[in-house]
Amino acid sequence: MSFPRAVPLVLALALLSGAAARAQGVPSATSEPRAVEVDVHATDAGQALAAEDAARLGLSTDAGDTTLVPPSLTADAPAAWPEGLEGTPGEVKLELLVDEAGEVDTATLVEGVHPLLNEAALHAAPSLRFSPALMEGQPVAVRLFFEYRFEAPVPLASGADGGTLTGSELRGPVTLKGLVRQKGNRRPLIGATLVSDAAPDSPVQTDENGRFEARFPTGGQAVRVFAPGHKPGLFREALKSTESLEVVYGLEPLVVNPYETVVRGDRERTEVSRVTLRDAELREVPGTMGDPFRVVMLLPGVGSMLSGVAYPVVRGSQPASTGYFLDGIRIPILFHLFLGPAVIHPDFLDAIDFYPGSPPPQYGRLMGGAIDGRLTRPRDDRVHGSAYADFINAGFFIETPFKSTGTNVSLAGRYSYTPWIIALAANQLQDPPPPGRTNPKVVLDFWDYQARVEQDVGEGKLRLFAFGSSDTFGSQAQDAQSDTALQSIAFHRVDLRGRHLLGKGELEVGGTWGTDDFAVVSRGPDSGNEIHIDQSTFSGRVGYSVPLDERLLLRAGADVDHKRAIVDVLTVENGQEVEEDSVRVPVALATFTGAYAEGVWTPNDRWTVVPGLRLDSYHLSGGFDHKVIEPRLTVRHKLTDTVTLKGGAGLFHQPPTTLISLPVVDVGSLLLGLQEGVQLSTGVEWKAFDTWEVGLDVYVNPMLRTIELTPFSDEGLTDDLDGGGDPDAPPPPGDVGPNGFRRVRARQVDIDEPPVSRDDWDLPDFSSHGLAYGLELLIRYPLGNNWFGWLSYSLQRSTRRTTFYRYDSSGRAISEDSADLPFAFDQTHILNLVVSHKFSNNITLGGVLHFNTGRPEYGTLGSQTHREGTDSDGRPAWVQVDRDAVDRLPPFFRFDLRVSKAWAYDTFSLESYLDMLNVTLNTETLGFDYVGGGYNRQPLTKSAVGLPIALPIIGVKGRY
């Protein structure tokens, strides 16, 4: 009687590195070797370390040192089916610690099915033998998940004499050879086991390339193929002694595109607050349309302007105060049509680092946080690609290696046809035009592109990366009697950078050229005007990272950003251009330069001290030249093996900001001065239960000077107190306008000859100051075990010094006052719960619960709070209250949902999905409509104003 074989299943690996002690230049706690557990992430090219973990161990990501050669099974240890046990087959999952010699050090039960089966598996596991896992060619210890799958006995083939064929009978020629790969992505399967029923005691394993050679007996037979994480394959073959049959076997994965990063060790951090998201955490979060940058809206410290609008309000700052980067390249416009999706194809992103406060000094000229999307590393094993289409847009991504030259080329692009469909529907809904006329056409259009060429150059890399986007929206005339009103914004960037080992460190040098174009066209049949703003930019940067000794790492760099902005104004009257009103003005020529340095000092295994310094120079030709010094300090103390205390402080500056970044603003507005703020934060991190991550941060950010060019600053910036001010009257002494509010004069700026005078520009004084403070909690289960999720909570307050009106009992403005009032987007409580699980039937189900309290009911973003009262004639009326007495809008709750199903085919995988924002169709209140009173003495009624913003997305995506 034969026993069923137990099939191994490796789900994930985690490197236990004794190599940490021998990695050159890596700070260590002592001079003695010590084991450090770090991450290994599954990629299509195999298992590899994260970039930060590689740096921690002193390994080079470019030299290929971070790729782990996983262990392969060399000696099986079948677990016998317990005698007398009845029941269906089952699976017992174990976690094995495999040492540097390939022997099982410990075996731990993870998931069992029956006590007898559990005992059989635990008893057999110590006899398993593996080839050692290799890193840099050296054996290392690993953790792996191993599964005993107890299956029904397989009938064995017999020899001519009726007995089982023995190994001595299998010494003939190679009769079967080929490749075992995974269905869907064509990844070669390392360590797959092939068993012939004609020779069950002589299994064959695939090598590091997924290839094998077998000397199975001739004749018809069944070949069973087993591989970790895949369904067993059964193939019928007729083998001949005169020829070797070559085959390609494809095995279906148990889970298509699984969440594979299971074991996560401690990861070295040198900043106070950073959240890193990868893989499915970026693309499969419900309600985000698969857009990685939208996921940031669900992290702690992030508020929103409006549900569904993805520009984050980070720690009470303006959205434009947060910098958006792509591998360190500043992105001028992050979202199409200012609302989303983002301008970068999701498959071009490997991870996103979110710094809600105190970003590292290489992110300069910012008052808020930083969001940096890291590009995927090019894969050099084969061609990879993807294509998708949904209700919003369609896109593609493809990359191909040229191994003979060490070159890799990647291309991606997207085009949105949905705005075209919406525009078509809007055009159909318009009233019929008069005879002989054609209605204006509604225009909503956007597209983007990305292209990358990466080349191996000696021990380094050279990369050329280009990306850009275009958006156009409005209405366009279709006949000579109609009006045109269009706005468009486009940008292009070309970045060239090189990385190379220099001495004990790594040097990176890069340069970026780009253009930003913004246009507003408003034309009627005979008159109109056009405004075109063109901004060109060139930036360069250099960075160097080097370990000075085993306890001190130095990072230093410099950057320069040169911008030139030109404004073209075209005026048309009676069908002719008015030359005296049409001008081409070089508005600004600016150069920003900066240099930074920081040291990572680890005096022992408990303390990490990171002092830093950034120097910046802001130069606007002819009118502004300012230099700032920004000291930074971060301290981390490892209280226990699982608990770390942290704290940091820094000084930050930024040019004036609008609500959302626009071309020219950061250049032309320099004449108003710089914003200045301090960021102070402290917190604790806890690694709970080996997998969960818990973080608590408390911050206080004094905003010493703010210049926010928005309509919701002082109440009197645009309206006169009594409505009778003369806008053409010169300001009285003290720079106080006719309406009693402060105003400033622009400086004269000489750019080209003749000089452009701005003495006649009478600008409101937007300068103010404020304070932001709060508490942030993040409880996170990182990607792994086929699920991920987190709970984030923010308790926060952000204020600005604001000038506002005082109203009498009848609602008439009678005086002005100033006070520290909540910021227009201030939300006291924000809660997000994110969960996504991938089931064994390849169905993924995820949900997001979002809750936030309301912002202040200021009139600048909707209605301003009114109270029931009487007008000057004693009639019932709604009376506007002072800004320091307004109510808050009602809280808002929504539920987002994502459901998907995946299939694996021989050479590609396919996924269909439904992703919907606000499944509950809840309405977020934007303001109130105050109706009634007045001469007709209608009853006073108050009704909420808002829309249930919901966005259902149905789509399909294929991966090759």
Side-chain angles (χ1 to χ4, degrees):
M1 178 178 180
S2 60
F3 294 106
R5 298 185 57 83
V7 182
L9 174 62
V10 179
L11 294 180
L13 299 173
L15 176 66
L16 287 174
S17 178
R22 60 178 185 77
Q24 295 184 359
V26 178
S28 60
T30 66
S31 60
E32 298 297 326
R34 59 188 178 94
V36 178
E37 188 166 342
V38 296
D39 294 345
V40 177
H41 301 281
T43 68
D44 285 343
Q47 304 281 346
L49 294 184
E52 51 264 58
D53 288 332
R56 180 185 181 193
L57 299 177
L59 305 178
S60 171
T61 57
D62 295 329
D65 298 341
T66 63
T67 300
L68 176 74
V69 178
S72 59
L73 187 65
T74 60
D76 199 0
W81 186 278
E83 186 175 353
L85 178 63
E86 296 181 358
T88 58
E91 300 172 354
V92 178
K93 296 180 181 179
L94 307 177
E95 182 185 80
L96 306 182
L97 174 57
V98 180
D99 62 20
E100 293 87 342
E103 298 182 355
V104 177
D105 184 88
T106 60
T108 305
L109 180 66
V110 175
E111 181 178 336
V113 291
H114 188 280
L116 293 179
L117 293 178
N118 300 345
E119 182 180 354
L122 288 170
H123 178 76
S127 299
L128 295 166
R129 292 295 181 268
F130 298 85
S131 63
L134 299 178
M135 178 72 70
E136 276 193 300
Q138 300 296 322
V140 292
V142 294
R143 291 187 190 275
L144 56 83
F145 281 179
F146 194 93
E147 181 178 290
Y148 276 98
R149 181 181 295 116
F150 293 90
E151 298 177 344
V154 177
L156 300 181
S158 300
D161 58 356
T164 301
L165 294 174
T166 63
S168 61
E169 299 176 77
L170 301 176
R171 296 177 181 174
V174 174
T175 55
L176 183 67
K177 64 181 180 180
L179 171 70
V180 178
R181 66 187 186 187
Q182 177 176 306
K183 286 185 176 181
N185 62 12
R186 301 164 292 123
R187 176 168 61 92
L189 297 179
I190 303 172
T193 302
L194 295 89
V195 180
S196 169
D197 63 357
D201 294 327
S202 300
V204 175
Q205 279 198 322
T206 59
D207 60 17
E208 65 274 10
N209 297 314
R211 305 198 67 85
F212 70 92
E213 291 186 350
R215 292 173 171 83
F216 292 152
T218 59
Q221 56 199 277
V223 178
R224 286 174 169 80
V225 185
F226 308 100
H230 296 76
K231 297 179 181 179
L234 176 62
F235 304 92
R236 300 285 181 179
E237 304 292 359
L239 304 183
K240 302 178 181 179
S241 59
T242 58
E243 63 178 317
S244 177
L245 179 63
E246 185 161 357
V247 296
V248 175
Y249 291 147
L251 296 188
E252 183 178 351
L254 293 176
V255 179
V256 180
N257 303 317
Y259 301 163
E260 291 184 303
T261 305
V262 178
V263 182
R264 301 175 64 91
D266 293 334
R267 304 171 61 199
E268 183 180 24
R269 292 176 177 269
T270 59
E271 63 286 310
V272 180
S273 300
R274 172 174 60 85
V275 179
T276 299
L277 302 175
R278 293 187 177 88
D279 302 324
E281 294 173 317
L282 299 177
R283 303 176 184 89
E284 297 187 16
V285 174
T288 64
M289 300 186 295
D291 194 306
F293 283 102
R294 281 182 167 268
V295 182
V296 174
M297 301 299 298
L298 302 173
L299 296 178
V302 179
S304 64
M305 297 186 292
L306 177 67
S307 177
V309 177
Y311 280 94
V313 179
V314 179
R315 290 187 174 180
S317 61
Q318 279 206 119
S321 296
T322 295
Y324 310 103
F325 299 86
L326 190 62
D327 261 7
I329 309 169
R330 190 71 180 263
I331 305 176
I333 299 295
L334 184 58
F335 295 102
H336 285 295
L337 304 178
F338 301 104
L339 300 177
V343 297
I344 305 299
H345 193 289
D347 287 352
F348 243 118
L349 293 174
D350 176 65
I352 285 182
D353 290 324
F354 171 51
Y355 304 89
S358 299
Q362 63 262 36
Y363 303 105
R365 299 182 279 277
L366 292 174
M367 278 275 287
I371 302 171
D372 195 354
R374 286 184 277 152
L375 295 181
T376 56
R377 293 180 57 192
R379 292 167 286 188
D380 58 4
D381 54 339
R382 58 191 181 277
V383 177
H384 294 267
S386 68
Y388 75 91
D390 57 35
F391 283 173
I392 296 295
N393 60 117
F396 76 94
F397 172 83
I398 187 170
E399 65 176 354
T400 180
F402 299 90
K403 295 184 179 181
S404 60
T405 60
T407 308
N408 189 287
V409 178
S410 306
L411 297 172
R414 292 182 298 176
Y415 178 75
S416 178
Y417 44 78
T418 302
W420 176 79
I421 296 175
I422 295 174
L424 180 63
N427 293 329
Q428 296 298 321
L429 292 175
Q430 295 183 83
D431 293 333
R437 296 283 308 279
T438 303
N439 281 331
K441 181 178 70 174
V442 177
V443 177
L444 289 170
D445 180 42
F446 69 79
W447 48 262
D448 62 60
Y449 68 91
Q450 301 88 43
R452 174 180 64 187
V453 178
E454 187 157 315
Q455 176 67 51
D456 293 334
V457 180
E459 297 182 348
K461 296 274 189 182
L462 186 65
R463 189 190 76 187
L464 180 67
F465 180 56
F467 64 102
S469 80
S470 174
D471 302 83
T472 304
F473 53 96
S475 62
Q476 186 174 22
Q478 299 299 295
D479 59 30
Q481 287 76 42
S482 298
D483 296 334
T484 292
L486 289 174
Q487 296 187 43
S488 64
I489 185 167
F491 77 86
H492 305 275
R493 292 292 185 272
V494 178
D495 178 74
L496 178 66
R497 71 174 62 185
R499 288 176 293 172
H500 199 278
L501 298 178
L502 181 63
K504 295 182 179 180
E506 184 178 61
L507 176 70
E508 178 175 290
V509 179
T512 304
W513 170 87
T515 62
D516 303 318
D517 303 305
F518 180 73
V520 178
V521 177
S522 177
R523 302 190 65 165
D526 299 318
S527 62
N529 58 73
E530 298 181 13
I531 299 176
H532 297 269
I533 301 176
D534 300 319
Q535 179 172 286
S536 61
T537 178
F538 175 79
S539 62
R541 61 194 175 278
V542 60
Y544 186 59
S545 176
V546 58
L548 300 181
D549 58 41
E550 66 175 8
R551 301 195 181 280
L552 181 60
L553 175 69
L554 174 66
R555 303 189 187 110
D559 59 75
V560 59
D561 192 0
H562 180 78
K563 299 183 178 183
R564 180 184 180 90
I566 297 177
V567 176
D568 285 302
V569 179
L570 173 66
T571 301
V572 176
E573 290 184 3
N574 298 321
Q576 300 294 322
E577 179 180 350
V578 183
E579 294 187 1
E580 57 269 25
D581 292 335
S582 299
V583 295
R584 180 178 176 85
V585 182
V587 175
L589 181 66
T591 302
F592 304 152
T593 56
Y596 67 89
E598 69 173 358
V600 182
W601 179 44
T602 53
N604 54 53
D605 62 343
R606 295 293 183 184
W607 287 90
T608 300
V609 181
V610 187
L613 183 69
R614 181 173 179 92
L615 308 176
D616 274 298
S617 173
Y618 300 81
H619 176 75
L620 181 65
S621 296
F624 186 88
D625 196 350
H626 198 67
K627 296 175 175 62
V628 296
I629 301 177
E630 298 179 349
R632 317 276 176 89
L633 178 64
T634 299
V635 178
R636 298 176 63 87
H637 175 57
K638 192 174 182 180
L639 195 62
T640 69
D641 289 340
T642 59
V643 178
T644 300
L645 304 179
K646 57 187 181 179
L651 182 64
F652 299 84
H653 297 82
Q654 185 174 3
T657 52
T658 53
L659 184 62
I660 297 175
S661 295
L662 291 173
V664 181
V665 172
D666 58 346
V667 176
S669 63
L670 273 177
L671 54 91
L672 299 177
L674 290 178
Q675 301 185 89
E676 183 178 27
V678 177
Q679 296 190 17
L680 308 171
S681 58
T682 185
V684 59
E685 296 172 357
W686 176 34
K687 186 74 171 182
F689 312 115
D690 294 329
T691 304
W692 291 82
E693 298 174 358
V694 180
L696 180 66
D697 292 86
V698 178
Y699 67 90
V700 178
N701 295 345
M703 303 177 193
L704 307 181
R705 186 170 191 255
T706 62
I707 309 175
E708 298 169 326
L709 310 180
T710 56
F712 40 80
S713 298
D714 291 346
E715 193 171 14
L717 284 174
T718 58
D719 299 323
D720 293 343
L721 183 64
D722 56 5
D726 182 2
D728 297 325
D735 288 337
V736 178
N739 57 8
F741 283 92
R742 296 168 290 111
R743 306 187 74 82
V744 295
R745 287 283 190 184
R747 309 179 186 186
Q748 177 169 312
V749 180
D750 299 331
I751 299 176
D752 294 333
E753 294 295 338
V756 179
S757 175
R758 297 178 179 173
D759 285 340
D760 59 344
W761 289 17
D762 190 17
L763 303 176
D765 186 0
F766 288 95
S767 64
S768 182
H769 61 269
L771 178 68
Y773 54 93
L775 176 148
E776 300 165 355
L777 173 67
L778 178 64
I779 303 174
R780 179 186 179 196
Y781 185 91
L783 189 67
N785 277 334
N786 281 320
W787 79 284
F788 69 86
W790 64 82
L791 172 71
S792 67
Y793 169 70
S794 303
L795 173 65
Q796 58 187 19
R797 175 58 56 90
S798 179
T799 64
R800 301 291 189 277
R801 191 67 178 180
T802 306
T803 302
F804 57 94
Y805 293 145
R806 293 290 184 191
Y807 298 93
D808 62 15
S809 58
S810 62
R812 185 173 60 91
I814 56 175
S815 64
E816 68 179 40
D817 202 350
S818 61
D820 295 324
L821 302 182
F823 184 50
F825 298 117
D826 181 62
Q827 296 170 319
T828 305
H829 302 280
I830 304 172
L831 179 71
N832 296 289
L833 176 62
V834 179
V835 177
S836 182
H837 186 272
K838 191 179 288 287
F839 296 91
S840 58
N841 57 0
N842 291 319
I843 291 179
T844 302
L845 178 63
V848 169
L849 291 174
H850 170 83
F851 170 83
N852 64 261
T853 53
R855 55 177 172 78
E857 190 189 358
Y858 292 152
T860 52
L861 295 174
S863 62
Q864 181 155 330
T865 304
H866 287 61
R867 301 276 189 263
E868 294 186 8
T870 59
D871 59 18
S872 57
D873 296 326
R875 293 184 294 264
W878 287 109
V879 178
Q880 183 169 291
V881 304
D882 301 342
R883 186 177 283 198
D884 61 348
V886 300
D887 297 332
R888 284 185 175 266
L889 297 173
F892 175 69
F893 164 83
R894 75 166 193 266
F895 176 65
D896 308 332
L897 178 69
R898 188 180 192 275
V899 182
S900 67
K901 169 67 176 178
W903 299 268
Y905 297 92
D906 189 39
T907 59
F908 68 96
S909 64
L910 192 65
E911 180 187 33
S912 63
Y913 54 88
L914 166 65
D915 188 351
M916 184 168 181
L917 176 77
N918 194 12
V919 173
T920 47
L921 300 179
N922 290 344
T923 299
E924 182 175 13
T925 301
L926 307 179
F928 290 95
D929 191 10
Y930 297 91
V931 179
Y935 291 100
N936 55 13
R937 298 181 179 270
Q938 293 292 322
L940 301 180
T941 59
K942 174 184 176 181
S943 57
V945 177
L947 290 173
I949 298 178
L951 187 59
I953 303 295
I954 298 178
V956 61
K957 181 173 184 177
R959 295 181 177 90
Y960 174 75

